[in-house]
């Protein structure tokens, strides 16, 4: 018979072993259950099928919501965008490349350096002022930088990287 302390130690060791096995099974992300909004491919370690990582809205939300309140050159007034930080998203898929090819629904593509993916940097927004964005509103996903809070984000280069109707990302 084991003491309570010994039982606790054995259970804790088993849990650590199981958690470690889950993270060692590197690469297995959950499967989307809703419509896929974003597919990430290329130099990534964590996937959920055919070497890609597909995300539905719930999966993006589960990564943690970040709000960016800013003015843009495309919209009137100050708007609060909600989404997942680009850095968080890239970390989640284990991105190892140096460039991002971000592509919109209409096949428009921009190249973004992975170095843009910093804390308090750009987000992949799925809400504008608390509402999901439709295609007409530049959605369902829009890469938004915090333009108003940092003058370095108010340049033509950064504006050109602010791709809307984003649906595919390739890391290279």
């Amino acid at each position: 018979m084991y003491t309570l302390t010994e039982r606790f130690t054995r259970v804790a060791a088993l849990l650590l072993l199981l958690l470690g096995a889950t993270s060692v099974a590197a690469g297995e992300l959950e499967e989307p259950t809703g419509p896929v909004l974003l597919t990430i491919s290329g130099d990534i370690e964590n996937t959920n099928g055919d070497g890609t990582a597909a995300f539905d809205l719930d999966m993006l939300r589960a990564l943690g919501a970040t709000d960016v309140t800013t003015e843009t050159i495309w919209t009137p007034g100050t708007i609060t965008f909600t989404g997942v930080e680009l850095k968080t998203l890239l970390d989640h898929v284990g991105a190892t490349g140096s460039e991002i090819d971000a592509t919109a629904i209409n096949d428009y593509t921009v190249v973004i350096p992975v170095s843009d993916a910093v804390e308090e940097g750009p987000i992949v927004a799925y809400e504008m002022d608390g509402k999901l964005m439709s295609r007409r509103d530049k959605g369902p996903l829009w890469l938004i930088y915090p333009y108003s809070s940092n003058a370095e984000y108010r340049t033509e280069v950064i504006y050109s990287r602010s791709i809307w109707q984003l649906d595919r990302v390739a890391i290279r």
Side-chain angles (χ1 to χ4, degrees):
M1 205 73 187
Y2 296 110
T3 67
L4 185 59
T5 302
E6 289 171 324
R7 283 186 202 170
F8 177 79
T9 302
R10 287 177 178 265
V11 168
L14 179 61
L15 286 173
L16 287 173
L17 179 64
L18 290 173
L19 289 173
T22 302
S23 63
V24 170
E28 304 251 348
L29 299 176
E30 68 181 80
E31 293 286 331
T33 57
V36 172
L37 298 181
L38 181 65
T39 303
I40 303 176
S41 62
D43 295 335
I44 61 174
E45 295 176 0
N46 305 319
T47 65
N48 55 12
D50 296 332
T52 64
F55 291 85
D56 63 18
L57 181 59
D58 288 340
M59 292 170 70
L60 292 172
R61 283 181 168 154
L63 295 177
T66 298
D67 288 338
V68 170
T69 301
T70 189
E71 294 180 359
T72 79
I73 62 172
W74 307 279
T75 55
T78 300
I79 296 176
T80 298
F81 293 91
T82 303
V84 59
E85 282 191 338
L86 181 60
K87 178 183 181 349
T88 300
L89 186 60
L90 296 183
D91 288 347
H92 189 70
V93 299
T96 58
S98 60
E99 290 186 321
I100 302 165
D101 291 330
T103 305
I105 294 167
N106 66 359
D107 293 329
Y108 174 78
T109 300
V110 296
V111 177
I112 302 165
V114 169
S115 60
D116 274 13
V118 296
E119 288 183 23
E120 298 184 20
I123 66 170
V124 176
Y126 45 77
E127 288 183 7
M128 184 172 15
D129 283 338
K131 296 179 183 165
L132 294 177
M133 293 182 289
S134 68
R135 285 185 180 190
R136 182 171 286 203
D137 294 327
K138 299 185 175 15
L141 300 176
W142 185 359
L143 186 68
I144 293 290
Y145 289 74
Y147 316 104
S148 294
S149 66
N150 187 336
E152 291 179 15
Y153 291 138
R154 292 189 297 271
T155 68
E156 288 303 315
V157 170
I158 295 298
Y159 294 143
S160 73
R161 295 176 185 165
S162 303
I163 185 169
W164 54 77
Q165 295 181 336
L166 176 67
D167 77 337
R168 289 163 284 167
V169 169
I171 309 297
R172 56 183 174 88

